[in-house]
Amino acid sequence: MRDLTRRRLLVAAGGVAGGAAVVGAVVTRNRRPHPVVRHKIVPDGRARRLVLSWPSSNRLLFTVARARFFGTYNLDVTLVDGSRTGRTTIADVAEGRAVGAAAPILTWLDRFRLGPIPAHLVSGLQSGSFRLLVRRGVKGSRLDNVAGMRIAVTDQDMADRLFFSVMMRRKGIDPESAVHWVTLAPTQVEQAARAGEIDAVAAHDPQAWQWLHLPDPLFFELENSTTGHYRERTNLALGLSDALLRSDPVAAATLVMALRAASDWIRAHPDQAAGLMAEAAGGMDTGQILAMLRHESLGISPVGADLRVQVSQYVDEMKLLGRVSDTVGSAAYARRLCVNVLDADESGALSIPESGPA
Protein backbone atom coordinates (compact mmCIF):
# COMPACT_ATOMS: atom_id res chain seq x y z
CA MET A 1 0.00 0.00 0.00
CA ARG A 2 2.89 2.35 0.76
CA ASP A 3 4.03 2.15 -2.89
CA LEU A 4 0.70 3.19 -4.32
CA THR A 5 0.70 6.59 -5.95
CA ARG A 6 -2.12 9.03 -5.36
CA ARG A 7 -3.34 8.38 -8.91
CA ARG A 8 -3.44 4.59 -8.46
CA LEU A 9 -5.28 5.03 -5.17
CA LEU A 10 -7.93 7.11 -6.87
CA VAL A 11 -8.29 4.54 -9.63
CA ALA A 12 -8.58 1.77 -7.05
CA ALA A 13 -11.18 3.77 -5.18
CA GLY A 14 -13.24 4.05 -8.31
CA GLY A 15 -13.05 0.34 -9.10
CA VAL A 16 -13.52 -1.21 -5.68
CA ALA A 17 -16.55 -0.67 -3.48
CA GLY A 18 -14.38 -0.35 -0.40
CA GLY A 19 -11.83 1.85 -2.13
CA ALA A 20 -13.09 5.08 -0.58
CA ALA A 21 -12.65 3.60 2.86
CA VAL A 22 -9.10 2.55 2.00
CA VAL A 23 -8.23 6.02 0.73
CA GLY A 24 -9.80 7.56 3.80
CA ALA A 25 -7.74 5.32 6.03
CA VAL A 26 -4.51 6.25 4.28
CA VAL A 27 -5.26 9.97 4.42
CA THR A 28 -6.24 9.75 8.06
CA ARG A 29 -3.09 7.85 8.99
CA ASN A 30 -0.79 10.19 7.09
CA ARG A 31 -2.32 13.56 7.93
CA ARG A 32 -4.00 13.37 11.33
CA PRO A 33 -2.14 13.07 14.63
CA HIS A 34 -2.89 10.14 16.86
CA PRO A 35 -5.77 11.21 19.13
CA VAL A 36 -4.92 11.86 22.76
CA VAL A 37 -6.59 9.37 25.07
CA ARG A 38 -8.32 11.26 27.86
CA HIS A 39 -10.01 10.11 31.02
CA LYS A 40 -11.90 11.59 33.92
CA ILE A 41 -9.92 12.27 37.08
CA VAL A 42 -11.43 10.70 40.19
CA PRO A 43 -10.64 11.41 43.87
CA ASP A 44 -8.04 9.08 45.33
CA GLY A 45 -9.04 9.44 49.00
CA ARG A 46 -5.75 11.06 49.99
CA ALA A 47 -5.93 13.80 52.62
CA ARG A 48 -4.75 17.20 51.42
CA ARG A 49 -4.27 20.64 52.94
CA LEU A 50 -4.79 23.62 50.63
CA VAL A 51 -4.68 27.39 51.11
CA LEU A 52 -7.06 29.52 49.04
CA SER A 53 -7.75 33.25 48.82
CA TRP A 54 -11.36 34.43 48.63
CA PRO A 55 -13.03 37.86 48.42
CA SER A 56 -14.29 38.96 51.81
CA SER A 57 -17.45 40.46 50.32
CA ASN A 58 -19.16 37.12 49.65
CA ARG A 59 -17.98 33.83 51.10
CA LEU A 60 -21.25 31.89 51.06
CA LEU A 61 -19.98 29.20 48.67
CA PHE A 62 -16.78 28.73 50.63
CA THR A 63 -18.73 28.60 53.91
CA VAL A 64 -21.01 25.85 52.57
CA ALA A 65 -18.11 23.88 51.08
CA ARG A 66 -16.19 24.02 54.34
CA ALA A 67 -19.23 23.02 56.40
CA ARG A 68 -20.47 20.17 54.21
CA PHE A 69 -18.14 19.08 51.41
CA PHE A 70 -14.42 19.63 51.95
CA GLY A 71 -14.33 16.90 54.59
CA THR A 72 -16.17 14.49 52.31
CA TYR A 73 -13.41 14.97 49.75
CA ASN A 74 -10.63 14.70 52.38
CA LEU A 75 -9.69 18.35 51.99
CA ASP A 76 -8.53 20.68 54.73
CA VAL A 77 -8.93 24.10 53.15
CA THR A 78 -8.02 27.38 54.82
CA LEU A 79 -8.06 30.98 53.64
CA VAL A 80 -5.36 33.61 53.55
CA ASP A 81 -5.86 35.88 56.56
CA GLY A 82 -7.23 39.39 56.23
CA SER A 83 -9.76 41.25 54.12
CA ARG A 84 -9.55 40.42 50.43
CA THR A 85 -10.82 41.83 47.13
CA GLY A 86 -10.71 40.07 43.77
CA ARG A 87 -7.52 41.93 42.91
CA THR A 88 -5.72 40.91 46.11
CA THR A 89 -6.83 37.26 45.91
CA ILE A 90 -5.17 37.02 42.48
CA ALA A 91 -2.04 38.61 43.94
CA ASP A 92 -2.01 35.94 46.65
CA VAL A 93 -1.75 33.22 44.00
CA ALA A 94 0.73 35.11 41.83
CA GLU A 95 2.99 35.70 44.84
CA GLY A 96 2.70 32.19 46.29
CA ARG A 97 0.58 32.85 49.38
CA ALA A 98 -2.21 30.57 48.11
CA VAL A 99 -2.60 27.77 45.58
CA GLY A 100 -5.94 29.10 44.37
CA ALA A 101 -8.01 32.26 44.24
CA ALA A 102 -11.64 33.17 43.68
CA ALA A 103 -12.15 36.42 41.76
CA PRO A 104 -14.56 37.85 39.19
CA ILE A 105 -13.66 36.84 35.64
CA LEU A 106 -13.58 40.52 34.69
CA THR A 107 -10.96 41.06 37.38
CA TRP A 108 -8.95 38.03 36.23
CA LEU A 109 -8.94 39.38 32.66
CA ASP A 110 -7.98 42.86 33.80
CA ARG A 111 -5.03 41.39 35.71
CA PHE A 112 -3.94 39.05 32.90
CA ARG A 113 -3.60 42.01 30.53
CA LEU A 114 -0.86 43.42 32.78
CA GLY A 115 1.31 40.36 32.31
CA PRO A 116 1.41 36.57 32.70
CA ILE A 117 0.27 34.94 35.93
CA PRO A 118 1.36 31.39 36.84
CA ALA A 119 -2.26 30.29 37.16
CA HIS A 120 -5.22 29.17 35.04
CA LEU A 121 -8.98 29.34 35.44
CA VAL A 122 -10.54 25.98 36.25
CA SER A 123 -14.17 26.56 37.27
CA GLY A 124 -16.91 29.11 37.55
CA LEU A 125 -18.18 29.45 41.11
CA GLN A 126 -21.35 31.52 41.11
CA SER A 127 -23.34 33.94 39.00
CA GLY A 128 -22.99 37.67 39.40
CA SER A 129 -25.14 39.84 41.63
CA PHE A 130 -24.10 43.29 40.44
CA ARG A 131 -26.61 46.07 41.08
CA LEU A 132 -26.62 49.71 40.00
CA LEU A 133 -28.63 51.55 42.65
CA VAL A 134 -29.79 55.11 42.06
CA ARG A 135 -30.72 57.53 44.84
CA ARG A 136 -34.43 58.20 45.04
CA GLY A 137 -35.26 61.61 43.66
CA VAL A 138 -32.57 61.47 40.99
CA LYS A 139 -34.09 61.69 37.53
CA GLY A 140 -33.50 58.78 35.19
CA SER A 141 -35.13 55.39 35.12
CA ARG A 142 -32.96 53.84 32.38
CA LEU A 143 -29.27 53.20 31.87
CA ASP A 144 -29.35 55.70 29.00
CA ASN A 145 -29.78 58.45 31.61
CA VAL A 146 -26.63 57.84 33.67
CA ALA A 147 -24.48 60.43 31.85
CA GLY A 148 -23.37 63.05 34.35
CA MET A 149 -24.14 60.91 37.42
CA ARG A 150 -21.78 60.59 40.36
CA ILE A 151 -21.53 56.83 40.90
CA ALA A 152 -19.91 55.45 44.03
CA VAL A 153 -17.81 52.28 44.09
CA THR A 154 -16.11 50.83 47.13
CA ASP A 155 -12.92 50.15 45.17
CA GLN A 156 -11.87 51.48 41.76
CA ASP A 157 -10.55 48.02 40.86
CA MET A 158 -13.76 46.18 41.74
CA ALA A 159 -15.59 44.26 39.00
CA ASP A 160 -18.74 46.27 39.83
CA ARG A 161 -17.35 49.22 37.91
CA LEU A 162 -16.13 47.07 35.01
CA PHE A 163 -19.47 45.30 34.67
CA PHE A 164 -21.56 48.47 34.47
CA SER A 165 -18.94 50.12 32.27
CA VAL A 166 -19.59 47.34 29.74
CA MET A 167 -23.34 47.93 29.96
CA MET A 168 -22.84 51.67 29.45
CA ARG A 169 -20.57 51.11 26.46
CA ARG A 170 -23.27 48.97 24.86
CA LYS A 171 -25.58 51.98 25.18
CA GLY A 172 -23.04 54.25 23.49
CA ILE A 173 -22.00 55.91 26.76
CA ASP A 174 -18.31 56.42 27.50
CA PRO A 175 -17.95 55.10 31.07
CA GLU A 176 -14.72 57.00 31.62
CA SER A 177 -15.82 60.49 30.60
CA ALA A 178 -19.62 60.51 30.80
CA VAL A 179 -19.95 59.55 34.49
CA HIS A 180 -18.02 60.48 37.63
CA TRP A 181 -16.76 57.49 39.63
CA VAL A 182 -16.37 58.21 43.34
CA THR A 183 -14.49 55.83 45.63
CA LEU A 184 -16.03 55.49 49.08
CA ALA A 185 -15.73 53.03 51.92
CA PRO A 186 -18.92 50.95 52.36
CA THR A 187 -19.61 52.74 55.63
CA GLN A 188 -19.65 56.11 53.83
CA VAL A 189 -22.03 55.29 50.98
CA GLU A 190 -25.36 55.70 52.78
CA GLN A 191 -24.36 58.99 54.40
CA ALA A 192 -23.04 60.38 51.10
CA ALA A 193 -26.28 59.42 49.32
CA ARG A 194 -28.49 61.02 51.97
CA ALA A 195 -26.38 64.18 51.79
CA GLY A 196 -26.82 64.29 48.02
CA GLU A 197 -23.09 63.88 47.40
CA ILE A 198 -23.54 60.87 45.13
CA ASP A 199 -26.32 59.91 42.73
CA ALA A 200 -25.82 56.17 42.56
CA VAL A 201 -23.70 53.24 43.73
CA ALA A 202 -22.42 50.21 41.82
CA ALA A 203 -22.05 47.21 44.12
CA HIS A 204 -22.84 43.52 44.50
CA ASP A 205 -24.66 41.33 46.99
CA PRO A 206 -24.86 41.03 49.89
CA GLN A 207 -23.92 44.68 50.38
CA ALA A 208 -25.99 45.91 47.41
CA TRP A 209 -29.02 43.97 48.65
CA GLN A 210 -28.74 45.58 52.07
CA TRP A 211 -28.60 49.09 50.59
CA LEU A 212 -31.55 48.33 48.32
CA HIS A 213 -33.67 47.19 51.28
CA LEU A 214 -32.88 49.79 53.92
CA PRO A 215 -35.77 50.34 56.38
CA ASP A 216 -35.91 53.95 55.16
CA PRO A 217 -35.76 53.39 51.36
CA LEU A 218 -32.87 55.32 49.85
CA PHE A 219 -32.20 53.65 46.48
CA PHE A 220 -34.04 52.08 43.58
CA GLU A 221 -32.47 49.50 41.29
CA LEU A 222 -31.67 50.75 37.80
CA GLU A 223 -29.81 47.72 36.38
CA ASN A 224 -28.49 44.37 37.58
CA SER A 225 -26.84 41.14 36.46
CA THR A 226 -29.49 38.87 37.98
CA THR A 227 -31.82 39.00 34.96
CA GLY A 228 -31.52 38.42 31.23
CA HIS A 229 -28.61 36.48 29.72
CA TYR A 230 -26.23 37.58 32.48
CA ARG A 231 -28.30 35.52 34.90
CA GLU A 232 -26.85 32.27 33.58
CA ARG A 233 -23.25 33.43 33.43
CA THR A 234 -20.67 32.83 36.10
CA ASN A 235 -19.06 35.81 37.78
CA LEU A 236 -16.57 34.44 40.29
CA ALA A 237 -14.08 31.96 38.89
CA LEU A 238 -11.53 29.78 40.61
CA GLY A 239 -7.96 30.04 39.37
CA LEU A 240 -5.35 27.52 40.50
CA SER A 241 -1.59 27.86 40.42
CA ASP A 242 0.24 26.11 37.63
CA ALA A 243 2.46 24.51 40.28
CA LEU A 244 -0.55 22.73 41.81
CA LEU A 245 -1.99 21.81 38.40
CA ARG A 246 1.28 20.13 37.44
CA SER A 247 2.23 18.53 40.74
CA ASP A 248 -1.17 17.29 41.94
CA PRO A 249 -3.90 17.17 39.28
CA VAL A 250 -6.08 15.04 41.56
CA ALA A 251 -6.02 17.74 44.24
CA ALA A 252 -7.12 20.31 41.68
CA ALA A 253 -9.94 18.09 40.45
CA THR A 254 -11.06 17.18 43.96
CA LEU A 255 -11.24 20.83 45.00
CA VAL A 256 -13.35 21.70 41.97
CA MET A 257 -15.66 18.75 42.65
CA ALA A 258 -16.18 19.86 46.24
CA LEU A 259 -16.95 23.46 45.25
CA ARG A 260 -19.34 22.39 42.51
CA ALA A 261 -21.11 20.09 44.96
CA ALA A 262 -21.49 23.05 47.31
CA SER A 263 -22.86 25.20 44.49
CA ASP A 264 -25.46 22.57 43.60
CA TRP A 265 -26.38 22.17 47.28
CA ILE A 266 -27.01 25.91 47.68
CA ARG A 267 -29.40 25.81 44.72
CA ALA A 268 -31.27 22.83 46.18
CA HIS A 269 -31.25 24.07 49.80
CA PRO A 270 -31.30 27.90 49.81
CA ASP A 271 -32.99 28.02 53.22
CA GLN A 272 -30.22 26.00 54.87
CA ALA A 273 -27.57 27.95 52.97
CA ALA A 274 -29.08 31.18 54.28
CA GLY A 275 -28.78 29.84 57.81
CA LEU A 276 -25.10 29.00 57.33
CA MET A 277 -24.41 32.44 55.88
CA ALA A 278 -26.20 34.17 58.76
CA GLU A 279 -24.06 32.24 61.24
CA ALA A 280 -20.81 33.01 59.42
CA ALA A 281 -21.32 36.75 58.90
CA GLY A 282 -23.43 39.20 60.84
CA GLY A 283 -25.55 42.03 59.46
CA MET A 284 -28.35 40.04 57.85
CA ASP A 285 -30.73 37.52 59.35
CA THR A 286 -31.70 34.22 57.72
CA GLY A 287 -34.93 35.61 56.25
CA GLN A 288 -33.13 38.52 54.56
CA ILE A 289 -30.46 36.25 53.13
CA LEU A 290 -33.05 33.79 51.84
CA ALA A 291 -34.93 36.59 50.08
CA MET A 292 -31.67 37.70 48.49
CA LEU A 293 -30.76 34.17 47.33
CA ARG A 294 -34.18 33.73 45.75
CA HIS A 295 -33.48 36.82 43.65
CA GLU A 296 -30.13 35.44 42.45
CA SER A 297 -29.28 32.64 40.03
CA LEU A 298 -27.83 29.72 41.99
CA GLY A 299 -25.81 26.69 40.96
CA ILE A 300 -23.75 28.34 38.20
CA SER A 301 -20.37 26.55 38.16
CA PRO A 302 -19.23 25.82 34.59
CA VAL A 303 -16.06 23.88 33.77
CA GLY A 304 -14.35 22.79 30.56
CA ALA A 305 -15.92 23.99 27.30
CA ASP A 306 -18.77 25.74 29.13
CA LEU A 307 -16.30 27.83 31.11
CA ARG A 308 -14.26 28.66 28.00
CA VAL A 309 -17.37 29.92 26.20
CA GLN A 310 -18.23 32.25 29.05
CA VAL A 311 -14.67 33.52 29.42
CA SER A 312 -14.68 34.22 25.68
CA GLN A 313 -17.83 36.32 26.11
CA TYR A 314 -16.12 38.32 28.85
CA VAL A 315 -13.08 38.83 26.60
CA ASP A 316 -15.40 40.33 23.98
CA GLU A 317 -16.75 42.71 26.61
CA MET A 318 -13.29 43.75 27.74
CA LYS A 319 -12.61 44.67 24.12
CA LEU A 320 -15.51 47.13 24.34
CA LEU A 321 -13.62 48.87 27.16
CA GLY A 322 -10.31 48.84 25.29
CA ARG A 323 -8.79 46.55 27.93
CA VAL A 324 -8.20 43.71 25.46
CA SER A 325 -6.98 44.37 21.93
CA ASP A 326 -9.45 43.85 19.09
CA THR A 327 -6.80 41.76 17.35
CA VAL A 328 -6.96 39.09 20.08
CA GLY A 329 -9.04 36.04 19.21
CA SER A 330 -11.52 35.76 22.07
CA ALA A 331 -12.08 32.00 21.82
CA ALA A 332 -8.35 31.29 21.44
CA TYR A 333 -7.56 33.54 24.41
CA ALA A 334 -10.15 31.73 26.54
CA ARG A 335 -8.56 28.37 25.63
CA ARG A 336 -5.20 29.66 26.83
CA LEU A 337 -6.61 30.87 30.14
CA CYS A 338 -8.68 27.81 31.06
CA VAL A 339 -7.84 24.26 32.08
CA ASN A 340 -10.33 21.42 32.51
CA VAL A 341 -9.06 19.79 35.69
CA LEU A 342 -11.65 17.03 35.52
CA ASP A 343 -10.08 15.66 32.34
CA ALA A 344 -6.50 14.33 32.08
CA ASP A 345 -4.50 12.62 29.35
CA GLU A 346 -3.50 8.96 29.50
CA SER A 347 -0.51 9.76 31.71
CA GLY A 348 -2.75 11.50 34.25
CA ALA A 349 -1.40 14.96 33.42
CA LEU A 350 -3.44 18.06 32.65
CA SER A 351 -3.07 20.05 29.45
CA ILE A 352 -1.78 23.44 30.64
CA PRO A 353 -1.42 26.04 27.87
CA GLU A 354 0.67 29.18 28.11
CA SER A 355 -1.63 31.90 29.43
CA GLY A 356 -1.87 35.22 27.63
CA PRO A 357 -3.42 36.71 24.48
CA ALA A 358 -3.38 34.44 21.46
Side-chain angles (χ1 to χ4, degrees):
M1 179 67 72
R2 186 178 305 162
D3 296 330
L4 287 176
T5 65
R6 174 177 172 81
R7 185 172 182 178
R8 290 175 64 191
L9 279 171
L10 291 176
V11 171
V16 180
V22 172
V23 174
V26 172
V27 171
T28 297
R29 186 166 59 244
N30 289 345
R31 296 187 181 180
R32 295 180 186 172
H34 185 72
V36 176
V37 177
R38 308 202 70 81
H39 66 84
K40 298 296 181 184
I41 296 180
V42 297
D44 59 10
R46 203 178 98 200
R48 291 173 169 87
R49 300 185 67 181
L50 303 173
V51 178
L52 301 182
S53 190
W54 207 282
S56 306
S57 58
N58 188 354
R59 290 180 173 172
L60 172 60
L61 180 62
F62 180 82
T63 299
V64 169
R66 181 172 55 187
R68 303 186 66 93
F69 294 99
F70 286 152
T72 302
Y73 285 87
N74 293 305
L75 297 174
D76 177 8
V77 184
T78 58
L79 293 180
V80 175
D81 290 335
S83 179
R84 288 291 184 271
T85 65
R87 183 75 60 170
T88 55
T89 65
I90 296 172
D92 285 334
V93 171
E95 296 167 15
R97 290 184 290 272
V99 298
I105 292 179
L106 286 170
T107 305
W108 278 108
L109 292 176
D110 206 40
R111 175 57 186 82
F112 271 116
R113 75 188 180 98
L114 301 179
I117 309 172
H120 282 77
L121 305 183
V122 298
S123 175
L125 297 173
Q126 65 184 54
S127 66
S129 56
F130 300 112
R131 303 183 192 277
L132 181 60
L133 310 180
V134 176
R135 176 168 52 85
R136 292 180 182 273
V138 173
K139 293 182 179 180
S141 58
R142 298 187 306 172
L143 191 63
D144 310 65
N145 307 130
V146 300
M149 283 190 184
R150 299 161 296 174
I151 303 177
V153 289
T154 58
D155 187 321
Q156 288 287 349
D157 286 333
M158 296 290 272
D160 312 283
R161 172 173 175 170
L162 290 174
F163 177 80
F164 288 111
S165 291
V166 169
M167 295 191 76
M168 291 176 197
R169 180 61 75 181
R170 290 193 186 280
K171 294 288 186 179
I173 300 169
D174 186 338
E176 299 304 318
S177 62
V179 299
H180 307 288
W181 298 98
V182 182
T183 306
L184 295 174
T187 54
Q188 298 175 312
V189 168
E190 184 179 347
Q191 180 181 351
R194 294 196 185 280
E197 297 170 354
I198 59 170
D199 304 302
V201 57
H204 57 275
D205 292 346
Q207 181 65 79
W209 185 264
Q210 291 176 275
W211 282 328
L212 184 59
H213 294 86
L214 290 169
D216 179 12
L218 177 59
F219 297 104
F220 67 89
E221 188 171 53
L222 186 69
E223 287 287 352
N224 63 50
S225 66
T226 63
T227 56
H229 69 281
Y230 288 111
R231 178 178 177 83
E232 299 304 319
R233 283 172 57 178
T234 189
N235 166 39
L236 281 188
L238 177 68
L240 294 180
S241 71
D242 291 348
L244 178 69
L245 294 174
R246 291 192 177 96
S247 66
D248 198 346
V250 176
T254 303
L255 176 62
V256 168
M257 290 175 191
L259 289 169
R260 296 188 83 205
S263 177
D264 290 341
W265 186 86
I266 292 171
R267 179 179 56 192
H269 305 90
D271 50 344
Q272 296 181 52
L276 285 173
M277 185 175 176
E279 293 175 7
M284 297 174 70
D285 61 34
T286 301
Q288 292 171 319
I289 296 171
L290 183 57
M292 178 186 73
L293 293 179
R294 285 174 172 164
H295 193 265
E296 298 176 355
S297 185
L298 307 177
I300 307 297
S301 55
V303 297
D306 292 334
L307 177 63
R308 292 196 299 271
V309 167
Q310 294 196 20
V311 170
S312 176
Q313 292 170 342
Y314 278 113
V315 173
D316 285 337
E317 291 171 351
M318 291 294 274
K319 290 180 181 180
L320 292 176
L321 302 181
R323 291 174 180 251
V324 173
S325 171
D326 288 337
T327 61
V328 171
S330 299
Y333 192 6
R335 286 194 297 271
R336 292 170 69 87
L337 295 183
C338 300
V339 169
N340 184 357
V341 298
L342 304 183
D343 199 16
D345 64 23
E346 55 191 330
S347 72
L350 299 172
S351 298
I352 306 175
E354 292 184 13
S355 61

